[in-house]
């Protein structure tokens, strides 16, 4: 569903993105310059006072559903934890032109990046797909590299989506409530590649978070960027419990399928994992 007014202004959006970048760093999911984030908004915002430098650029993918709206995205090689203190140096503001093939990129004259996120194509394609399918005016996408989720994706058994979900979602009642569709899984593809982009778009149609095997995760939200990060935190908590159990010789059994189904019945959660 589209967001209802009053809509946040540009200053408020930059604060929220800074807080999001800081939180990803706090949960140790963004070492160095790893990770990236973006939001799409489709209400009037004039970026020129904040980002006065403009150039017209060719987009890496066609995104007609985003035409007339704007995407705020982190720059390639930038540390997400630094967005909070210096957002105009670490973010770019894209106004998508009619047809969705080009955009006006607004930046600061003292920006600290040469181009937008290395996962630029995936972010745009996810926004386009979600907006088109849901008739949305807001979309948030976060890529992070939480340690336990990423580590488990290096173990062959956890690269099976059903196995991954039944093992990770058994550790807290909150997990199935907040991730009722479960966690999607995309096999390893070269970072930034068209193949990774396509698999991610497809996975996020059915899930709100997807594991990029041997790479990290991507989460989405049509409510707020913090909600997307919440989903990463929930999934990472499940992965942390699972890791602890692995190193403790699998002594714990977690919630049983019957217990999880009872939770879902009590909270009216629709799921088909357990």
């Amino acid at each position: 569903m589209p967001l209802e007014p009053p809509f946040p202004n540009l200053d408020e959006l930059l604060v929220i993105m800074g807080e999001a970048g800081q939180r990803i760093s706090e949960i140790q999911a963004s070492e160095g310059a790893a990770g990236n984030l973006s939001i799409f908004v489709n209400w009037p915002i004039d970026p020129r006072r904040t980002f006065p430098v403009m150039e017209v650029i060719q987009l890496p993918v066609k995104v007609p559903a985003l035409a007339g709206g704007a995407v705020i995205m982190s720059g390639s090689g930038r540390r997400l934890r630094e967005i909070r203190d210096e957002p105009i140096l670490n973010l770019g503001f894209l106004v998508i032109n009619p047809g969705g093939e080009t955009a006006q990129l607004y930046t600061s004259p003292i920006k600290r990046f040469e181009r937008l996120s290395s996962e630029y194509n995936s972010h745009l394609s996810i926004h386009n797909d979600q907006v088109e399918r849901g008739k949305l005016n807001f979309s948030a996408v976060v890529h992070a590299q939480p340690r336990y989720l990423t580590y488990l994706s290096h173990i062959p058994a956890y690269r099976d989506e059903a196995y991954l979900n039944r093992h990770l979602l058994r550790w807290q009642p909150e997990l199935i409530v907040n991730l009722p569709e479960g966690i999607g899984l995309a096999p390893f593809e070269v970072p930034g590649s068209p193949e990774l982009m396509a698999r991610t778009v497809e996975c996020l149609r059915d899930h709100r978070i997807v594991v990029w095997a041997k790479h990290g995760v991507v989460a989405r939200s049509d409510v707020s960027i913090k909600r997307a990060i919440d989903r990463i935190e929930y999934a990472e908590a499940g992965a942390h419990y699972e890791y602890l159990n692995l190193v403790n010789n699998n002594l714990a059994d977690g919630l049983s399928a019957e217990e999880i189904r009872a939770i879902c019945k009590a909270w009216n959660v629709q799921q088909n994992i357990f």
Side-chain angles (χ1 to χ4, degrees), residues 12-32:
E12 291 168 327
L13 291 172
L14 296 184
V15 168
I16 292 168
M17 293 192 73
E19 292 172 347
Q22 179 65 26
R23 185 58 186 157
I24 287 294
S25 180
E26 288 172 351
I27 64 172
Q28 298 183 321
S30 179
E31 67 280 358

Side-chain angles (χ1 to χ4, degrees), residues 38 68 90 95 100 115 125 133 135 145 154 166 209 214 228 239 263:
S38 69
N90 295 289
V95 176
R115 60 187 186 279
S125 294
R133 292 164 62 87
K135 307 303 179 185
Q145 296 177 183
H154 284 267
R166 292 180 70 88
I209 179 171
K214 305 181 182 183
I263 292 166

Side-chain angles (χ1 to χ4, degrees), residues 185-211:
L185 179 69
F188 179 80
E189 300 285 359
V190 174
S193 66
E195 292 79 12
L196 181 61
M197 176 191 73
R199 287 184 179 274
T200 308
V201 168
E202 183 178 359
C203 280
L204 287 175
R205 289 174 180 168
D206 299 319
H207 305 278
R208 287 178 274 190
I209 179 171
V210 57
V211 171

Side-chain angles (χ1 to χ4, degrees), residues 138-160:
F138 177 86
S139 172
V141 174
V142 179
H143 163 53
Q145 296 177 183
R147 294 181 179 181
Y148 295 98
L149 279 165
T150 304
Y151 170 71
L152 290 179
S153 76
H154 284 267
I155 300 174
Y158 293 91
R159 296 199 294 273
D160 176 88

